[in-house]
Amino acid sequence: MTEFPPAQGLSARARPARVALAPALAACLALAGSLLPPGPAQAQSAAQSAADLTTDLTAELAQIEAELSALEARFAETPTPVDVALRDALRLSQTLLRNRQLALDGAAAVEATTPTLTPDPARADRLMVEMARARARIATAERELRAAEGLIATMVQSRLETERLTLAGLRMGWLSAKYGISFPMLAPAPTTPGAAPQPDTAPAATTSAPAPSETATDTGPPVWADPDHPEIDYRLAPFELAHATAHQISGWWTIETGRAAVDDSPEVTAINYSAYDPRDLTGLTALVARCTEGETALIYVQDDYLIPDLRRNSFDVTLRIGTQAARSLRWSGLTTNKGAGVFGEEAEEMIRAIYDAGQVFLRITERNGRTHDALFSLAGQTAAFEAVANACGFTTVVLSSDDYHQIQALLNKAGFEAGKPDGQWGPGSRRAMRAFQQSQDLPQTGAPDRASLDALGFGG
């Protein structure tokens, strides 16, 4: 979601070419339908069309100005990058609408952005539908926010901000299609794994222009970018937002930690944005690994509403890990109808299965046969998966019964009574492992995680 300041804030390379037009010429360019002199009937029709257009523009401008006033009233002392991007998108729409009004009135010289566009009524109608959907999602998020607390409230607030910015981007696309208003475009967004062009969406709306104080150069990565993954463009909106909210960033993942409101148990939400497409304004495609109130989840979030098998509220999912053969699975549908996932021990097994993979392909098949594909690069997954595993107390290591037997024997040998080794990881084994982890200054998960196994000498 790219920042679009009305007059300042765009770098010289990103500013559109501008030319000053005389009022009469600007008005003629805005309304001209023919090079031939119009007859009386044509002149009357053109005058009526101009009056209708002026009325429509005035109404649109009033709505944008009302939204801009409401946004600025909400601004805290340190607004988020999404707040700033939304404000700048609204200001840009406001500026160009005013310019178009001046061109129609022929009252003053205006700055016109070139090239001009031809209105596209069909595309305007499609974007109008998407705007209605975005407004509905905003209303839903606002209701959820009023009832949410803690980490959930933070997540809902983030979604609400993103939806508001999505609506602003859709409006810019609609204004272009409806009135032929040309908006400045930055360089095309970098290609991300699994992303596909969206020809019917509005201009890109992504915070891909970070503050100068946070970058090494105008075109280089932000100073807070993960240095282990220089191939990733960390100027994308999700990473800007994660940095602004002090969340950890590892490869394609953002990692948010907190405490559950119900019992203060650790909570972790790790989100993979490698399939994020800033040109897609209809929603978000992401892979989420999460621990909430002691339950593990692995979720494929889609950018569209899905139709599940209503009897089981589930979806057929095709999974391919790296270059392995594809597998057919059954995943539970989300209450939002915008994705599917696995939970509990099944999610833990899936995280172990993809822990060392470079990428994973996922396909959701709806009840009507429609499919939704995404290819996720898993770069940076070690920090994400270990954070989730530590919070939910499971290991990311694939262990056999013989492995557990050996670990129990090692604990007993080290003086941490795990009982008679039987290859079953029960309460006694967990207590012994927690005691050992405490002695080693490690997170006390009770699970035979990688760090604990290394300290115990397992496999050495």
Side-chain angles (χ1 to χ4, degrees):
M1 286 155 260
T2 306
E3 292 187 30
F4 281 139
Q8 70 280 351
L10 285 176
S11 63
R13 62 183 175 85
R15 290 194 184 116
R18 300 177 185 273
V19 293
L21 302 180
L25 178 57
C28 288
L29 289 176
L31 298 174
S34 171
L35 295 179
L36 298 176
Q42 292 174 312
Q44 183 177 1
S45 175
Q48 182 60 46
S49 297
D52 292 343
L53 183 56
T54 299
T55 300
D56 290 345
L57 288 173
T58 300
E60 290 296 333
L61 184 58
Q63 182 176 347
I64 289 173
E65 289 175 342
E67 293 182 18
L68 186 56
S69 296
L71 174 66
E72 290 176 339
R74 292 198 311 267
F75 257 37
E77 291 183 4
T78 55
T80 68
V82 176
D83 285 332
V84 174
L86 175 55
R87 179 197 61 191
D88 292 341
L90 289 172
R91 283 181 176 177
L92 179 61
S93 298
Q94 177 190 49
T95 299
L96 294 182
L97 279 175
R98 284 176 175 170
N99 281 355
R100 180 51 59 90
Q101 278 188 322
L102 290 173
L104 290 174
D105 295 341
V110 299
E111 272 192 331
T113 302
T114 57
T116 58
L117 301 177
T118 301
D120 185 345
R123 183 167 182 265
D125 290 343
R126 290 195 296 271
L127 289 172
M128 179 64 77
V129 172
E130 292 299 333
M131 288 167 65
R133 291 174 178 170
R135 290 191 177 99
R137 293 194 298 268
I138 288 172
T140 299
E142 288 175 338
R143 288 194 299 270
E144 292 177 1
L145 184 60
R146 287 193 289 270
E149 296 180 352
L151 178 63
I152 299 300
T154 302
M155 295 174 64
V156 174
Q157 180 66 51
S158 175
R159 177 159 59 90
L160 178 58
E161 291 177 346
T162 302
E163 293 291 2
R164 285 171 174 158
L165 186 54
T166 294
L167 179 59
L170 287 170
R171 178 185 281 116
M172 287 193 290
W174 181 79
L175 290 172
S176 295
K178 179 74 173 178
Y179 302 114
I181 295 176
S182 177
F183 285 81
M185 295 288 289
L186 296 184
T191 301
T192 54
Q198 301 292 326
D200 274 336
T201 55
T206 159
T207 51
S208 59
S213 61
E214 296 186 342
T215 57
T217 67
D218 286 344
T219 58
V223 295
W224 44 261
D226 184 348
D228 294 334
H229 296 279
E231 75 280 6
I232 297 175
D233 184 359
Y234 286 105
R235 296 171 299 172
L236 294 173
F239 297 118
E240 290 277 4
L241 182 59
H243 168 66
T245 49
H247 298 160
Q248 182 182 352
I249 297 173
S250 176
W252 279 111
W253 300 80
T254 65
I255 306 170
E256 180 178 2
T257 59
R259 293 283 173 178
V262 66
D263 58 6
D264 288 327
S265 60
E267 286 191 335
V268 173
T269 300
I271 305 177
N272 180 296
Y273 288 104
S274 62
Y276 173 78
D277 185 355
R279 297 162 295 187
D280 187 351
L281 299 175
T282 60
L284 175 69
T285 298
L287 183 65
V288 180
R290 186 182 70 192
C291 174
T292 304
E293 296 178 14
E295 182 181 61
T296 309
L298 185 68
I299 301 169
Y300 172 23
V301 179
Q302 246 299 321
D303 64 353
D304 203 355
Y305 290 97
L306 310 176
I307 303 175
D309 180 334
L310 298 180
R311 292 174 299 174
R312 295 187 287 177
N313 189 33
S314 60
F315 294 92
D316 287 325
V317 171
T318 301
L319 170 78
R320 188 182 188 197
I321 303 172
T323 58
Q324 299 175 17
R327 296 189 270 162
S328 294
L329 306 169
R330 196 78 184 172
W331 284 19
S332 300
L334 305 182
T335 56
T336 59
N337 290 331
K338 297 198 74 173
V342 285
F343 303 86
E345 291 184 1
E346 191 176 358
E348 294 170 9
E349 291 176 3
M350 187 60 64
I351 288 175
R352 283 191 284 268
I354 66 176
Y355 188 91
D356 293 316
Q359 63 182 31
V360 60
F361 170 85
L362 286 166
R363 168 178 289 167
I364 288 180
T365 302
E366 297 184 60
R367 186 183 61 179
N368 59 8
R370 186 182 178 197
T371 60
H372 304 265
D373 297 354
L375 179 63
F376 295 99
S377 166
L378 298 178
Q381 75 265 44
T382 298
F385 291 158
E386 289 298 336
V388 172
N390 287 341
C392 272
F394 69 93
T395 181
T396 59
V397 184
V398 178
L399 298 170
S400 66
S401 178
D402 289 342
D403 292 329
Y404 282 119
H405 187 285
Q406 182 182 351
I407 295 166
Q408 291 165 333
L410 288 171
L411 285 170
N412 289 337
K413 184 178 180 181
F416 301 91
E417 185 56 47
K420 182 179 179 179
D422 59 3
Q424 303 298 314
W425 198 256
S429 298
R430 288 185 178 276
R431 283 194 298 271
M433 180 59 79
R434 286 194 187 96
F436 173 74
Q437 289 167 334
Q438 183 179 26
S439 73
Q440 299 294 311
D441 247 355
L442 295 170
Q444 297 170 44
T445 64
D449 55 65
R450 294 168 190 264
S452 300
L453 294 180
D454 286 344
L456 196 57
F458 172 77

